[in-house]
Amino acid sequence: MALDPAACLRFLRGKRLSCVGDSTARNQAEALVCHLATAARPVTVRRDEERLGRKFWRWAFPSPHDVNVSTYWSPFLVRSEGHSEDYGMAHEVVVLDALTEPWASDLAAMDVMVISAGHWFPHSAVYYDDGEIVGVHGRPDMNRTEMSAPSVYRKVLRRTLEHVINATMADKLELVVVETIAPAHFDGRYSWNHRDACSRQRPYDGDVDGEAKVRDTEAELRKAVLEEVAAAATAARRRRPGLRFEVLDVTRLAAMRPDAHPGVYIYKNAYGGGPVPETAANDCLHWCAPGPVDTFNDILMQMIAGG
């Protein structure tokens, strides 16, 4: 059920909601702020736009709402250097035992934490743990242990959730929501940067085992979330009974919506049917607002209200 923005502000009154992860987390936070802004005017409290841009933003809805929405750029949840910071770099260097700042140190201010990551894990990477290289992904030239993207994601997610449970400063934190991956819909007949690579104008018709089939890697990333969040919820009941863990499972829902990406509409001419170059940057990872991301937020608000 879609919630009106005034009801969302009531559920969030006096709270700080933080979206942590990659740019899909930022996409969701921005969509939520746009939704809430139809009922109250937000103030941009802080924004950091280093390198790739929009790394950390915080919006405030002043009294009587006293609501804050923040977004933290952390594509691996742990420290990383490489392509995710500089597109000129060929691969990632991921430090598995070092959580990313500033989200880790800002736990004390959070009431609701939403984690949305996964899209960067299939990229070529070198993994460090305790100062040693422990494996690689997509780097056969290095003659090191190959680690699958879902296995690394599971390891990182487990460490992240364990840190949240054990963080003594996180006494305000009431709810941790981990979102499953929302697939892109690039058409395999074209390269990603072809103007027709993401051009469908209608949702799929319900054939989830056919044209909307979730790919194996995405299915494994989703499975990691389901299992690790269940384990964290069990641990929290013993050690942090006031802290809830929930899964926001959007994978199947998002798989049905190839029509809902910005696509080549990042070109102003495309809106009027104007010319778009055949080779074009194609935004097929993010979601239009209004669109499915608003449904993600409707479900999120139901989780918050249900607490």
Side-chain angles (χ1 to χ4, degrees):
M1 179 181 68
L3 295 176
D4 67 79
C8 294
L9 285 167
R10 287 197 301 273
F11 294 143
L12 291 171
R13 182 166 294 163
K15 298 185 187 299
R16 178 164 167 178
L17 183 151
S18 299
C19 293
V20 178
D22 55 28
S23 55
T24 60
R26 184 180 67 224
N27 188 187
Q28 186 165 354
E30 291 171 342
L32 179 60
V33 170
C34 287
H35 182 58
L36 299 178
T38 62
R41 183 180 294 274
V43 176
T44 303
V45 178
R46 179 182 165 189
R47 64 183 184 186
D48 293 341
E49 297 186 330
E50 304 169 12
R51 286 179 282 185
L52 296 185
R54 290 187 288 176
K55 287 190 166 292
F56 173 80
W57 280 48
R58 180 155 63 92
W59 301 267
F61 293 84
S63 181
H65 309 291
D66 295 321
V67 171
N68 281 263
V69 178
S70 301
T71 177
Y72 295 82
W73 167 254
S74 182
F76 290 93
L77 303 177
V78 293
R79 186 157 61 84
S80 63
E81 299 173 358
H83 190 64
S84 59
E85 299 291 335
D86 179 353
Y87 285 162
M89 301 291 287
H91 68 269
E92 300 289 340
V93 173
V94 182
V95 183
L96 299 174
D97 57 345
L99 297 175
T100 311
E101 299 295 348
W103 79 255
S105 57
D106 278 4
L107 278 173
M110 298 181 190
D111 297 280
V112 178
M113 180 183 186
V114 182
I115 298 171
S116 180
H119 284 290
W120 283 91
F121 284 81
H123 286 242
S124 298
V126 178
Y127 305 113
Y128 283 79
D129 201 339
D130 196 25
E132 304 271 345
I133 295 178
V134 294
V136 298
H137 179 67
R139 291 296 309 270
D141 57 304
M142 292 189 65
N143 194 28
R144 295 279 187 163
T145 301
E146 176 70 15
M147 299 172 68
S148 71
S151 70
V152 175
Y153 180 53
R154 182 183 291 273
K155 181 187 292 288
V156 167
L157 187 58
R158 182 177 300 171
R159 285 184 170 176
T160 298
L161 300 183
E162 286 177 348
H163 175 77
V164 169
I165 292 171
N166 294 327
T168 56
M169 64 177 172
D171 55 348
K172 279 187 63 183
L173 194 60
E174 303 169 2
L175 174 63
V176 177
V177 176
V178 185
E179 192 163 289
T180 62
I181 194 166
H185 292 87
F186 288 113
D187 188 327
R189 295 174 298 173
Y190 305 99
S191 63
W192 74 271
N193 60 351
H194 191 281
R195 65 187 172 205
D196 295 324
C198 184
S199 59
R200 287 188 62 116
Q201 297 181 0
R202 295 181 181 275
Y204 291 130
D205 63 7
D207 182 13
V208 294
D209 294 320
E211 58 185 359
K213 181 178 175 60
V214 176
R215 291 185 290 269
D216 289 345
T217 296
E218 289 166 340
E220 287 299 312
L221 291 170
R222 173 180 177 269
K223 182 180 178 183
V225 170
L226 299 179
E227 294 177 351
E228 294 305 319
V229 173
T234 299
R237 281 193 290 271
R238 295 194 308 267
R239 293 166 11 215
R240 291 281 301 279
L243 178 59
R244 281 194 297 141
F245 286 85
E246 300 282 356
V247 173
L248 179 49
D249 190 354
V250 302
T251 303
R252 290 279 185 172
L253 183 159
M256 302 300 297
R257 296 299 307 273
D259 59 310
H261 298 288
V264 294
Y265 289 96
I266 56 176
Y267 293 90
K268 63 180 180 180
N269 293 335
Y271 284 100
V276 174
E278 182 174 320
T279 300
N282 211 328
D283 191 347
C284 191
L285 288 176
H286 304 106
W287 302 89
C288 295
V293 71
D294 296 289
T295 303
F296 304 170
N297 282 327
D298 286 338
I299 299 169
L300 174 63
M301 288 302 118
Q302 296 286 359
M303 290 177 171
I304 294 169

